Amino acid sequence: MEFSLARSLEILGRTPAVLSALLSDLSEEWILAKEVGNTWNVKEIVAHLVICEQTNWMVRIKIILSDGLKKTFVPIDMHAHFKLAENTSLEKLLKDFNQLRIDGIDDLKNLNLKESDFNKTGIHPTLGEVYLRELVSTWVTHDMSHIAQVTRIIAKQNKDNVGSFAAFLKILNT
């Protein structure tokens, strides 16, 4: 599929509702469960998505589009979400994520980007030069990655309960 901002927005606009439908009003056992060992729980994943809305996507898009000569992105704090998750209810995280995403999409639409803007670049602290179209595509894929992660965590809580049906459930073996 070729890059398209309109198609990207189709997914970006749905992610908060998908997560809210899947996670709202779940018991603590579901939201605090982990996939394995020292991995993130569902609440930490939603907190991470909140942090990314605040410090990643639109911040970096604006850096790429800026007239400044220095277009290097600030690294994302990959630990900030732990404290946020610890101090915030899942319902509030979902609500905040939804509002931040609405605001981010509105900001993105208000930029009135031209096709040539998607060939502009910024400097990722690890990857080096990245295109705006790559950043927006990564935003979409990042959402899908974390939705998949959430569903794996939830599914794996029943791993010991499904018996021989496990042979048919690929999600339990990923």
Side-chain angles (χ1 to χ4, degrees), residues 5 9 53-54 57-59 61-62 65 99-113 139:
L5 179 59
L9 291 171
E53 291 300 306
Q54 295 169 331
W57 312 114
M58 284 307 301
V59 172
I61 288 169
K62 289 175 182 175
L65 296 172
Q99 188 58 58
L100 288 163
R101 179 57 60 89
I102 289 168
D103 295 345
I105 288 173
D106 286 348
D107 287 350
L108 184 58
K109 288 178 179 178
N110 287 334
L111 291 172
N112 296 314
L113 297 170
W139 191 1

Side-chain angles (χ1 to χ4, degrees), residues 50-69:
V50 168
I51 295 292
C52 287
E53 291 300 306
Q54 295 169 331
T55 64
N56 189 350
W57 312 114
M58 284 307 301
V59 172
R60 290 176 171 188
I61 288 169
K62 289 175 182 175
I63 289 170
I64 289 173
L65 296 172
S66 73
D67 291 331
L69 296 176

Side-chain angles (χ1 to χ4, degrees), residues 133-165:
R133 71 178 174 282
E134 293 172 331
L135 181 61
V136 174
S137 296
T138 299
W139 191 1
V140 171
T141 306
H142 182 262
D143 278 10
M144 294 297 101
S145 177
H146 286 301
I147 289 170
Q149 183 183 18
V150 164
T151 59
R152 274 195 328 268
I153 291 168
I154 292 171
K156 287 185 177 183
Q157 301 319 299
N158 274 320
K159 188 171 187 171
D160 294 335
N161 300 325
V162 299
S164 57
F165 287 106

Side-chain angles (χ1 to χ4, degrees), residues 45-103:
I45 293 165
V46 177
H48 168 73
L49 291 168
V50 168
I51 295 292
C52 287
E53 291 300 306
Q54 295 169 331
T55 64
N56 189 350
W57 312 114
M58 284 307 301
V59 172
R60 290 176 171 188
I61 288 169
K62 289 175 182 175
I63 289 170
I64 289 173
L65 296 172
S66 73
D67 291 331
L69 296 176
K70 186 174 169 115
K71 295 192 178 196
T72 302
F73 304 156
V74 175
I76 302 302
D77 182 347
M78 292 302 293
H79 301 285
H81 66 280
F82 293 119
K83 186 173 184 176
L84 181 62
E86 185 179 318
N87 296 320
T88 312
S89 72
L90 179 61
E91 295 305 320
K92 176 141 178 38
L93 290 170
L94 289 166
K95 181 180 175 192
D96 291 350
F97 176 54
N98 183 60
Q99 188 58 58
L100 288 163
R101 179 57 60 89
I102 289 168
D103 295 345

